[in-house]
Amino acid sequence: MRKIKITEKAVVITAAIGSVLIMLMVIANTYWASQQAISSTNQAVSAVSAFYLESMADRRAKTITNLINNNFESMEVAVSVIDDEKIASQDDLRDEIGRMKRLLALNHFALVDEDDIVYTQYTTYTGGSRHPFLAKKTLEGRMISTVFRYGSSKDLCLAIPVDIKIMGKQFKACFVQIDINDIVNLLAFDDQESTHFALYSANGGNISETELGTLIGTDNIFDATKGNVSEEEWNAFRDDFAKGKKGTLTFTINDVVDTICYQSVPDTGWELVVMIRESVIQDQIQEISAKNLATNRMQIIFLLVVAFLFSAILFLMLRRVANDKLEEEKENSKAFKSMANTDSLTGVRNKHAYMETEAQLNSWIREGAVEKLAVIACDINGLKYVNDTKGHAAGDQLIKDACSLICNVFTHGSVYRTGGDEFIVLLSGKGFDTREETIDAFNRQVEENIQKNEVVVSIGYSTLQPGDEQLHDIFERADHMMYDRKKELKSMGAKTRE
């Protein structure tokens, strides 16, 4: 057999052709792999975005539900307290309504008698034409509605039936009205540049008047999305709104892809819609991929290394984006909860925090899980006098000084500011065991302060008794003792509210 001679030229040609083929194969394979990576990344980003949206929508819906339930519970407490008071005139009733508004943080709180006359803190008026829920002869259970206050301003109206007599008149209902803007401010705790939310009625109208991104804005959500999704998807979307269902919708407007998640707010007839600009993340990833392909054409070996590193970095970036978003959401939630439970003037816990603690203690009291518990009701003497004579800055300083006095003496208690000049201290454990000497020390300090013309705080206290069913039972006794103490301090020369 004749041997074929392999020349240097043949080797060079073979190496050149082989190198070109390998380069073409690597480039083609890398390009295909990059495209696959982009597709997979987009799917992953969509999945992360959907999870993030659903989490935010669910949390915000629960925030509104908790706000509604807290207001209903506060109204029931307010009615119970008012029913126990001896009210002889409309002025007395207005004063008591104002006191309940301050104590329980109730906005636009009012009572309605059997003639549909509405009693507020400042006035009375005929409410039959102004409040739709009064159209019913009898109000059965809780009622939630959306009402127009004036112009385009909207309120969330919460009403409950009552059965009490005041000044010889039968009262049939009470209600509060919460400004939609206050609810929007309560929910606005996320980065609004990348995340948007709005509240909608069942017909797609924007109730909150907040922009759902630049493309939908404040328009009717059905009008804005019609023609940008299939008719089947659009009809299903409208049906979900009408039936108060939860879901997601992805649509394209002006070549921009957006995804929204919608969640019903129970009993309100509202739908909460949240949107995140998913295309921003996708554009960044696609830009990185394009630069990577350009590098591949210049240097094959470098391309292989970069492709491997790119895949690893891309995976880590995706995980980092997801983790950062989740961590950011957790931090926002913690910061929001902290702000919601802290009094901005004094730094102690506020009425919202007290109501949460009260709900937990009520559960433990009913279960018999609490043995040692004392409530200290505190009221600053002369705050109104200081505000009227020295200004509100001096009044604020008086509140801070009073808070410092309470905190410095009741070092083993939990201090809450529940009103303008009112504080509550809860004692358990060591604080409960040393309560007598602590209270005596506090009262001695207050009596010395009268002579020094320094801060004076009236206190009353009570402890958990066998017949108590809730924390309010203890507070009632402490509150009565506090008012007796206020009279005693007045006789010593202390200023009062008047």
Side-chain angles (χ1 to χ4, degrees):
M1 180 182 290
R2 184 181 177 185
K3 292 184 178 180
I4 299 175
K5 187 178 180 180
I6 301 177
T7 64
E8 184 178 1
K9 183 178 180 180
V11 172
V12 172
I13 293 174
T14 302
I17 294 174
S19 298
V20 171
L21 290 174
I22 291 173
M23 289 177 62
L24 292 175
M25 290 176 61
V26 172
I27 291 173
N29 183 69
T30 304
Y31 179 79
W32 176 83
S34 298
Q35 294 302 311
Q36 289 296 109
I38 291 174
S39 177
S40 299
T41 301
N42 288 342
Q43 292 177 7
V45 170
S46 297
V48 171
S49 299
F51 170 78
Y52 180 61
L53 284 173
E54 290 175 5
S55 176
M56 286 193 301
D58 183 64
R59 183 162 42 257
R60 282 189 167 98
K62 287 180 179 177
T63 297
I64 299 175
T65 299
N66 290 338
L67 174 67
I68 291 172
N69 290 335
N70 288 339
N71 272 270
F72 275 130
E73 291 173 3
S74 296
M75 279 196 289
E76 291 171 354
V77 171
V79 172
S80 175
V81 173
I82 291 174
D83 192 27
D84 290 339
E85 296 294 324
K86 295 180 180 180
I87 297 174
S89 66
Q90 285 193 18
D91 288 339
D92 291 342
L93 180 56
R94 290 173 182 171
D95 290 342
E96 194 60 27
I97 290 174
R99 189 168 77 93
M100 291 301 99
K101 287 174 63 177
R102 293 191 302 274
L103 286 175
L104 302 175
L106 292 172
N107 294 327
H108 306 291
F109 174 58
L111 290 168
V112 185
D113 68 16
E114 59 187 353
D115 298 320
D116 290 342
I117 302 300
V118 177
Y119 295 76
T120 70
Q121 180 183 3
Y122 303 107
T123 187
T124 58
Y125 60 87
T126 302
S129 60
R130 294 174 61 176
H131 302 290
F133 72 89
L134 294 178
K136 296 186 176 182
K137 292 183 178 179
T138 58
L139 190 63
E140 299 178 357
R142 298 176 173 183
M143 185 168 184
I144 303 174
S145 59
T146 306
V147 298
F148 288 85
R149 186 152 38 97
Y150 52 81
S152 61
S153 297
K154 293 178 280 294
D155 283 349
L156 177 64
C157 181
L158 310 177
I160 58 172
V162 301
D163 185 13
I164 59 175
K165 274 196 173 182
I166 304 174
M167 303 177 300
K169 292 185 177 181
Q170 182 68 36
F171 282 73
K172 68 177 185 178
C174 76
F175 67 92
V176 296
Q177 291 185 196
I178 306 173
D179 194 325
I180 299 294
N181 290 328
D182 292 339
I183 298 177
V184 170
N185 292 335
L186 182 66
L187 299 179
F189 54 85
D190 288 292
D191 180 9
Q192 295 302 302
E193 292 183 0
S194 61
T195 306
H196 309 270
F197 75 93
L199 293 167
Y200 291 89
S201 60
N203 64 5
N206 190 316
I207 297 174
S208 62
E209 298 182 358
T210 52
E211 290 191 356
L212 193 67
T214 57
L215 300 178
I216 294 180
T218 58
D219 296 339
N220 183 291
I221 196 168
F222 297 144
D223 295 340
T225 55
K226 188 173 185 180
N228 297 296
V229 295
S230 68
E231 186 174 353
E232 182 180 357
E233 289 177 310
W234 190 75
N235 288 331
F237 177 47
R238 291 199 63 174
D239 289 342
D240 286 349
F241 257 56
K243 296 175 182 177
K245 290 185 176 181
K246 177 180 180 180
T248 60
L249 180 70
T250 299
F251 54 90
T252 303
I253 301 179
N254 298 332
D255 297 325
V256 176
V257 179
D258 282 323
T259 298
I260 61 175
C261 179
Y262 47 92
Q263 166 79 47
S264 66
V265 182
D267 302 321
T268 62
W270 296 351
E271 286 283 334
L272 174 65
V273 181
V274 182
M275 182 181 74
I276 185 171
R277 295 306 306 275
E278 177 182 311
S279 60
V280 174
I281 302 174
Q282 291 174 336
D283 290 345
Q284 292 175 348
I285 295 172
Q286 289 169 354
E287 182 179 352
I288 294 172
S289 179
K291 291 179 180 179
N292 187 58
L293 289 174
T295 304
N296 287 342
R297 299 185 185 100
M298 297 172 59
Q299 192 173 10
I300 299 301
I301 296 176
F302 181 73
L303 170 104
L304 293 173
V305 175
V306 171
F308 174 77
L309 293 176
F310 175 73
S311 299
I313 293 172
L314 195 60
F315 176 73
L316 292 175
M317 285 177 60
L318 182 60
R319 288 187 59 185
R320 182 65 180 272
V321 169
N323 289 336
D324 286 350
K325 285 293 184 182
L326 291 175
E327 288 299 321
E328 181 182 353
E329 193 68 9
K330 289 178 182 177
E331 290 299 320
N332 285 340
S333 179
K334 289 179 182 178
F336 176 76
K337 185 174 182 180
S338 176
M339 288 188 295
N341 289 329
T342 302
D343 178 57
S344 59
L345 179 63
T346 63
V348 299
R349 281 165 280 195
N350 61 12
K351 181 175 180 60
H352 183 269
Y354 178 76
M355 292 175 65
E356 290 185 346
T357 303
E358 182 180 28
Q360 182 63 69
L361 286 173
N362 286 343
S363 175
W364 289 344
I365 291 171
R366 287 191 291 270
E367 295 170 0
V370 181
E371 294 181 358
K372 296 181 178 181
L373 179 63
V375 176
I376 313 292
C378 310
D379 190 278
I380 305 172
N381 285 53
L383 177 61
K384 184 176 185 302
Y385 174 81
V386 171
N387 284 334
D388 291 345
T389 59
K390 299 181 180 180
H392 285 278
D396 287 348
Q397 187 59 51
L398 178 62
I399 293 172
K400 293 178 184 178
D401 293 342
C403 182
S404 296
L405 174 62
I406 295 169
C407 292
N408 289 339
V409 176
F410 294 103
T411 56
H412 297 293
S414 299
V415 180
Y416 303 82
R417 184 185 178 201
T418 57
D421 55 359
E422 298 164 349
F423 293 79
I424 292 177
V425 184
L426 300 181
L427 299 177
S428 61
K430 186 175 181 180
F432 179 90
D433 294 336
T434 60
R435 66 189 183 283
E436 296 291 346
E437 49 264 44
T438 306
I439 291 170
D440 289 342
F442 186 91
N443 285 331
R444 285 196 301 273
Q445 181 63 56
V446 166
E447 291 172 7
E448 292 176 8
N449 287 353
I450 295 176
Q451 306 303 321
K452 300 176 184 178
N453 197 28
E454 295 179 357
V455 60
V456 176
V457 179
S458 302
I459 66 170
Y461 77 98
S462 184
T463 60
L464 179 65
Q465 302 297 319
D468 292 336
E469 296 181 356
Q470 57 184 348
L471 185 65
H472 188 70
D473 297 334
I474 312 173
F475 171 79
E476 281 285 294
R477 296 192 296 271
D479 195 49
H480 285 304
M481 181 184 289
M482 180 272 292
Y483 278 105
D484 292 338
R485 175 63 172 168
K486 184 176 283 289
K487 294 176 182 177
E488 182 181 357
L489 293 176
K490 181 180 180 181
S491 68
M492 298 180 186
K495 296 291 184 182
T496 65
R497 291 175 184 266
E498 289 75 19

